[in-house]
Amino acid sequence: MTLGAHLAGMRAQRPLVQNITNFVAMQTMANVLLAAGASPAMVHAREEAAEFAGLASAVTLNTGTPEPDWVAAMEAAATAALARGIPVVLDPVAAGATGYRREINGRLARLSPSIIKGNASEILAVAGRTSASRGADSGDGTDAAEPAAIALARATGGIVAVTGAIDVVTDGRRIARIANGSPLMTQVTALGCALTGIVAAFAAGAPDRFHATVAALAYYALAGERAAAEDPRPGSFATAFLNALHDVTPEQVDALALVEYADAPL
């Protein structure tokens, strides 16, 4: 499958993505998934999270505003989904900022989620390495996190995506580096969290989740480029970005994605 074919397949499937995400990201994440062509569900109650996960096409876990009941719901939903072969995407927001975040993200990572997606500092923290995080912002470059991402992918048996100026995706054997995007994407809150939902939507039903993750990040970054070209101000960019997610075609993804592949070092 080409990268664009993953976008076309996602839109044809219209996957139901269950999101246990943070208070800041809910509306943005739902709008992003709708614009892309997926179906969002914000289901986080501990009493129903696992049951709903059995109905979903994919599940996302975001630890941006963690509370004990929500973390328990994440563990239950992830366990239920993984038992059914449903992809689970973990977004370990600010994983290294506090002891509580290190502990809960470590627990969730030990469930072996299908995909872990975070900025460089978050991936370093989940992998047990030293990071220079500044809350939810990364103080590290993706190149510094690449060895940790490879090790983490091998440890979990899943995919690890590191976001930044150059995005990095690895399954422990392969590496892809994606050079598209716009700095304005960091100026609108929750766009990084919303990307987790896009990754989940692309992974739902995909025969190769590594390639699906690369396609998701390339598509998202291309939408950012398109929106920035339309209006380079954060407020207008946010609206233009949703429109771009709707408008970007599979053919444009294939033609414009700047992706470099390599084998992961042993």
mmCIF file of all heavy atoms in Angstrom, residues 181-185 222-233 237 240-241 244:
data_model
loop_
_atom_site.group_PDB
_atom_site.id
_atom_site.type_symbol
_atom_site.label_atom_id
_atom_site.label_comp_id
_atom_site.label_asym_id
_atom_site.label_seq_id
_atom_site.Cartn_x
_atom_site.Cartn_y
_atom_site.Cartn_z
ATOM 1 N N GLY A 181 5.529 19.315 7.531
ATOM 2 C CA GLY A 181 4.968 19.949 8.716
ATOM 3 C C GLY A 181 5.179 21.443 8.731
ATOM 4 O O GLY A 181 5.776 22.027 7.809
ATOM 5 N N SER A 182 4.701 22.083 9.798
ATOM 6 C CA SER A 182 4.829 23.528 9.971
ATOM 7 C C SER A 182 5.009 23.846 11.448
ATOM 8 O O SER A 182 4.353 23.223 12.301
ATOM 9 C CB SER A 182 3.573 24.242 9.464
ATOM 10 O OG SER A 182 3.543 25.592 9.906
ATOM 11 N N PRO A 183 5.870 24.834 11.795
ATOM 12 C CA PRO A 183 6.013 25.240 13.203
ATOM 13 C C PRO A 183 4.713 25.727 13.814
ATOM 14 O O PRO A 183 4.536 25.672 15.038
ATOM 15 C CB PRO A 183 7.054 26.366 13.132
ATOM 16 C CG PRO A 183 7.815 26.117 11.878
ATOM 17 C CD PRO A 183 6.825 25.534 10.915
ATOM 18 N N LEU A 184 3.771 26.178 12.989
ATOM 19 C CA LEU A 184 2.494 26.648 13.523
ATOM 20 C C LEU A 184 1.704 25.530 14.196
ATOM 21 O O LEU A 184 0.824 25.800 15.018
ATOM 22 C CB LEU A 184 1.647 27.267 12.405
ATOM 23 C CG LEU A 184 1.942 28.724 12.049
ATOM 24 C CD1 LEU A 184 1.174 29.122 10.802
ATOM 25 C CD2 LEU A 184 1.598 29.647 13.205
ATOM 26 N N MET A 185 2.012 24.290 13.885
ATOM 27 C CA MET A 185 1.300 23.168 14.493
ATOM 28 C C MET A 185 1.547 23.097 15.994
ATOM 29 O O MET A 185 0.754 22.509 16.728
ATOM 30 C CB MET A 185 1.687 21.859 13.807
ATOM 31 C CG MET A 185 1.318 21.833 12.330
ATOM 32 S SD MET A 185 1.916 20.388 11.434
ATOM 33 C CE MET A 185 0.737 19.148 11.993
ATOM 34 N N LEU A 222 1.297 17.227 6.206
ATOM 35 C CA LEU A 222 0.940 17.894 4.954
ATOM 36 C C LEU A 222 -0.240 18.836 5.155
ATOM 37 O O LEU A 222 -0.269 19.942 4.576
ATOM 38 C CB LEU A 222 0.610 16.863 3.880
ATOM 39 C CG LEU A 222 1.812 16.172 3.241
ATOM 40 C CD1 LEU A 222 1.356 14.971 2.423
ATOM 41 C CD2 LEU A 222 2.573 17.157 2.359
ATOM 42 N N ALA A 223 -1.211 18.436 5.963
ATOM 43 C CA ALA A 223 -2.320 19.337 6.275
ATOM 44 C C ALA A 223 -1.813 20.589 6.984
ATOM 45 O O ALA A 223 -2.293 21.697 6.731
ATOM 46 C CB ALA A 223 -3.350 18.611 7.136
ATOM 47 N N GLY A 224 -0.825 20.415 7.855
ATOM 48 C CA GLY A 224 -0.224 21.569 8.520
ATOM 49 C C GLY A 224 0.454 22.511 7.549
ATOM 50 O O GLY A 224 0.328 23.738 7.657
ATOM 51 N N GLU A 225 1.167 21.964 6.586
ATOM 52 C CA GLU A 225 1.813 22.794 5.570
ATOM 53 C C GLU A 225 0.776 23.571 4.769
ATOM 54 O O GLU A 225 0.943 24.779 4.511
ATOM 55 C CB GLU A 225 2.634 21.914 4.626
ATOM 56 C CG GLU A 225 3.887 21.337 5.239
ATOM 57 C CD GLU A 225 4.689 20.507 4.263
ATOM 58 O OE1 GLU A 225 4.212 20.294 3.122
ATOM 59 O OE2 GLU A 225 5.777 20.053 4.639
ATOM 60 N N ARG A 226 -0.273 22.896 4.378
ATOM 61 C CA ARG A 226 -1.312 23.519 3.563
ATOM 62 C C ARG A 226 -2.002 24.641 4.333
ATOM 63 O O ARG A 226 -2.251 25.729 3.797
ATOM 64 C CB ARG A 226 -2.326 22.460 3.140
ATOM 65 C CG ARG A 226 -3.439 22.974 2.249
ATOM 66 C CD ARG A 226 -4.209 21.807 1.666
ATOM 67 N NE ARG A 226 -5.275 22.245 0.789
ATOM 68 C CZ ARG A 226 -5.826 21.511 -0.162
ATOM 69 N NH1 ARG A 226 -5.386 20.278 -0.368
ATOM 70 N NH2 ARG A 226 -6.793 21.974 -0.907
ATOM 71 N N ALA A 227 -2.306 24.407 5.601
ATOM 72 C CA ALA A 227 -2.970 25.415 6.418
ATOM 73 C C ALA A 227 -2.067 26.620 6.666
ATOM 74 O O ALA A 227 -2.518 27.769 6.634
ATOM 75 C CB ALA A 227 -3.399 24.797 7.746
ATOM 76 N N ALA A 228 -0.787 26.379 6.903
ATOM 77 C CA ALA A 228 0.152 27.479 7.144
ATOM 78 C C ALA A 228 0.309 28.359 5.915
ATOM 79 O O ALA A 228 0.478 29.580 6.025
ATOM 80 C CB ALA A 228 1.500 26.921 7.576
ATOM 81 N N ALA A 229 0.254 27.750 4.744
ATOM 82 C CA ALA A 229 0.361 28.529 3.510
ATOM 83 C C ALA A 229 -0.859 29.417 3.308
ATOM 84 O O ALA A 229 -0.774 30.494 2.692
ATOM 85 C CB ALA A 229 0.521 27.585 2.320
ATOM 86 N N GLU A 230 -1.993 28.994 3.868
ATOM 87 C CA GLU A 230 -3.222 29.768 3.723
ATOM 88 C C GLU A 230 -3.242 30.967 4.660
ATOM 89 O O GLU A 230 -3.649 32.061 4.268
ATOM 90 C CB GLU A 230 -4.428 28.877 4.003
ATOM 91 C CG GLU A 230 -5.765 29.586 3.837
ATOM 92 C CD GLU A 230 -6.935 28.642 3.965
ATOM 93 O OE1 GLU A 230 -6.823 27.493 3.472
ATOM 94 O OE2 GLU A 230 -7.953 29.035 4.549
ATOM 95 N N ASP A 231 -2.812 30.786 5.910
ATOM 96 C CA ASP A 231 -2.804 31.887 6.882
ATOM 97 C C ASP A 231 -1.825 31.552 7.999
ATOM 98 O O ASP A 231 -2.023 30.583 8.727
ATOM 99 C CB ASP A 231 -4.197 32.118 7.462
ATOM 100 C CG ASP A 231 -4.314 33.470 8.162
ATOM 101 O OD1 ASP A 231 -3.385 33.846 8.905
ATOM 102 O OD2 ASP A 231 -5.336 34.156 7.957
ATOM 103 N N PRO A 232 -0.738 32.350 8.150
ATOM 104 C CA PRO A 232 0.306 32.023 9.124
ATOM 105 C C PRO A 232 0.039 32.553 10.533
ATOM 106 O O PRO A 232 0.971 32.779 11.294
ATOM 107 C CB PRO A 232 1.545 32.687 8.513
ATOM 108 C CG PRO A 232 0.998 33.900 7.831
ATOM 109 C CD PRO A 232 -0.354 33.482 7.290
ATOM 110 N N ARG A 233 -1.220 32.777 10.900
ATOM 111 C CA ARG A 233 -1.565 33.218 12.255
ATOM 112 C C ARG A 233 -2.261 32.065 12.980
ATOM 113 O O ARG A 233 -3.093 31.374 12.388
ATOM 114 C CB ARG A 233 -2.464 34.446 12.206
ATOM 115 C CG ARG A 233 -1.794 35.670 11.584
ATOM 116 C CD ARG A 233 -2.796 36.792 11.378
ATOM 117 N NE ARG A 233 -3.847 36.390 10.425
ATOM 118 C CZ ARG A 233 -4.938 37.108 10.195
ATOM 119 N NH1 ARG A 233 -5.138 38.243 10.846
ATOM 120 N NH2 ARG A 233 -5.832 36.682 9.315
ATOM 121 N N PHE A 237 -5.013 29.666 11.475
ATOM 122 C CA PHE A 237 -4.400 28.383 11.133
ATOM 123 C C PHE A 237 -5.233 27.220 11.663
ATOM 124 O O PHE A 237 -5.403 26.207 10.987
ATOM 125 C CB PHE A 237 -2.983 28.311 11.706
ATOM 126 C CG PHE A 237 -2.331 26.964 11.559
ATOM 127 C CD1 PHE A 237 -1.709 26.603 10.381
ATOM 128 C CD2 PHE A 237 -2.358 26.048 12.608
ATOM 129 C CE1 PHE A 237 -1.113 25.352 10.244
ATOM 130 C CE2 PHE A 237 -1.769 24.804 12.485
ATOM 131 C CZ PHE A 237 -1.146 24.462 11.291
ATOM 132 N N ALA A 240 -8.023 26.670 9.314
ATOM 133 C CA ALA A 240 -7.496 26.205 8.031
ATOM 134 C C ALA A 240 -6.985 24.772 8.136
ATOM 135 O O ALA A 240 -7.065 24.000 7.170
ATOM 136 C CB ALA A 240 -6.376 27.132 7.562
ATOM 137 N N PHE A 241 -6.491 24.408 9.301
ATOM 138 C CA PHE A 241 -5.968 23.049 9.489
ATOM 139 C C PHE A 241 -7.084 22.017 9.401
ATOM 140 O O PHE A 241 -6.937 20.975 8.751
ATOM 141 C CB PHE A 241 -5.241 22.950 10.825
ATOM 142 C CG PHE A 241 -4.618 21.606 11.083
ATOM 143 C CD1 PHE A 241 -3.541 21.165 10.338
ATOM 144 C CD2 PHE A 241 -5.121 20.774 12.075
ATOM 145 C CE1 PHE A 241 -2.967 19.924 10.566
ATOM 146 C CE2 PHE A 241 -4.549 19.543 12.319
ATOM 147 C CZ PHE A 241 -3.470 19.110 11.561
ATOM 148 N N ALA A 244 -7.950 21.655 5.878
ATOM 149 C CA ALA A 244 -6.914 20.930 5.134
ATOM 150 C C ALA A 244 -7.004 19.430 5.398
ATOM 151 O O ALA A 244 -6.813 18.621 4.476
ATOM 152 C CB ALA A 244 -5.531 21.454 5.520
#
